[in-house]
Amino acid sequence: MTVITIWSESGGVGKTTTTLNLAAALGEQGKDVLIIDLDPQPASITDHAGYQDAKNGDVEVTLSDVLLDDDVGLSEVIIEDELFDLAPAHESLASLETTVRAQQISTAEFLLRSKLAEIEDEYDYILIDPPATLNLLVDNALIASGNVLVPMEMTRKGERSIGGVVETVTAIESQLQRAQPDFSLNVIGVLPNKVDGSILNQEIQGALEDVDGVEVLPITIPSYNVMEQAWDAHLDIFRYAEHDDYGLRKYQESLLDAYRDLATLIIELDADDETEAVVS
């Protein structure tokens, strides 16, 4: 089981759409995938996937219950879907940090990690979508995954934000290595997102390739308005493409190819890691 956090400190870079469509692309390739939505804010992946009632409604068990109660398992909140399963966010996650302090939980950053063991044989990939703002939920995501994929717009704002992501990952890694010397956080790479082919996009992408500690993935996600339309329809881009009421124009099909290429890259990197582990 491989766990990946999709995260950037900048909002609006396509973090959630990347998570949803990467999950769909992995599912299309026959992988068992779970999305864990750790973002209690409006317009999170739970909303995008069409499960708003699970997030804001009066449900018996929430993701907050899972994290805070040793007797509640992650499987109790999982919603099964066609290409991937979803552990939906709930608005109560917004007060998790306050609750943790009130209960004086000393290992609060490890709450999610401790819950993944029970489902490790059920999924090939778990994708975690936390909020952009650095907080306890982001800590939990990074510690539970050990891997982070950074979607980024090829803009000046995006260029400035990459330094913050690298610094955060390095700081969390150093902090945890005091307790677990073998712990590491792997930055899979920067995913150029919402790319329109402009000269500025090309300049930023070129500049990032020269930044130490940053690997720009050889895949770009093009900027098409159809992504917003898929969002409004509560569909990933693959199901939007196949839906009788929607569909893609020929030139927009490059979106499908891009996410398929990203899924293939993730699978290949995963296979390389397993080979290295066997060899070592």
Side-chain angles (χ1 to χ4, degrees):
M1 181 180 75
T2 298
V3 187
I4 302 171
T5 295
I6 291 84
W7 180 66
S8 172
E9 283 189 297
S10 294
V13 298
K15 172 178 64 69
T16 295
T17 53
T18 297
T19 306
L20 184 75
N21 291 304
L22 173 57
L26 287 167
E28 187 191 50
Q29 295 194 33
K31 301 301 182 182
D32 292 321
V33 186
L34 172 67
I35 296 173
I36 299 179
D37 185 3
L38 285 183
D39 192 348
Q41 302 177 78
S44 78
I45 206 164
T46 299
D47 302 279
H48 191 356
Y51 294 103
Q52 300 93 322
D53 289 345
K55 183 174 183 177
N56 303 313
D58 184 16
V59 295
E60 291 186 9
V61 181
T62 70
L63 195 50
S64 294
D65 297 325
V66 172
L67 295 175
L68 294 169
D69 191 335
D70 291 339
D71 295 327
V72 180
L74 189 56
S75 59
E76 294 185 47
V77 299
I78 290 175
I79 299 170
E80 295 182 358
D81 210 324
E82 182 181 354
L83 292 176
F84 53 81
D85 293 348
L86 172 69
H90 190 267
E91 57 191 3
S92 59
L93 284 172
S95 60
L96 181 70
E97 201 151 355
T98 302
T99 304
V100 162
R101 284 199 301 267
Q103 296 183 7
Q104 298 182 332
I105 300 175
S106 59
T107 56
E109 295 84 0
F110 293 86
L111 292 173
L112 179 58
R113 185 178 180 180
S114 66
K115 293 291 183 174
L116 296 185
E118 67 187 66
I119 59 169
E120 62 181 353
D121 295 329
E122 298 179 28
Y123 295 99
D124 300 307
Y125 292 92
I126 294 179
L127 306 182
I128 307 175
D129 185 19
T133 304
L134 188 62
N135 57 20
L136 180 62
L137 294 169
V138 175
D139 289 345
N140 265 269
L142 293 175
I143 291 169
S145 64
N147 300 291
V148 57
L149 173 66
V150 185
M152 181 178 296
E153 288 185 279
M154 296 295 101
T155 62
R156 296 301 179 195
K157 177 183 177 183
E159 184 182 22
R160 290 191 296 269
S161 71
I162 186 61
V165 173
V166 173
E167 288 176 6
T168 298
V169 169
T170 301
I172 291 176
E173 184 178 56
S174 298
Q175 179 183 354
L176 291 172
Q177 282 176 343
R178 298 189 191 113
Q180 295 179 265
D182 60 341
F183 181 84
S184 64
L185 273 173
N186 171 44
V187 179
I188 295 171
V190 170
L191 175 67
N193 198 30
K194 302 182 181 179
V195 176
D196 60 14
S198 67
I199 293 175
L200 176 60
N201 278 184
Q202 296 170 25
E203 288 179 355
I204 299 300
Q205 189 166 346
L208 286 174
E209 290 172 353
D210 296 329
V211 177
D212 289 339
V214 175
E215 179 178 354
V216 180
L217 298 182
I219 295 164
T220 59
I221 308 297
S223 177
Y224 292 138
N225 290 336
V226 71
M227 294 295 287
E228 297 175 8
Q229 295 162 15
W231 177 283
D232 292 339
H234 303 294
L235 295 169
D236 61 77
I237 196 64
F238 293 91
R239 281 182 277 199
Y240 185 91
E242 296 175 353
H243 200 286
D244 291 340
D245 295 334
Y246 305 115
L248 299 179
R249 297 181 184 274
K250 189 67 177 178
Y251 72 90
Q252 295 170 333
E253 292 178 0
S254 60
L255 280 166
L256 305 179
D257 295 334
Y259 284 115
R260 285 173 179 142
D261 288 346
L262 178 59
T264 298
L265 176 65
I266 294 297
I267 293 169
E268 289 175 349
L269 291 174
D270 196 24
D272 289 344
D273 288 344
E274 289 179 2
T275 300
E276 290 175 5
V278 171
V279 171
S280 62

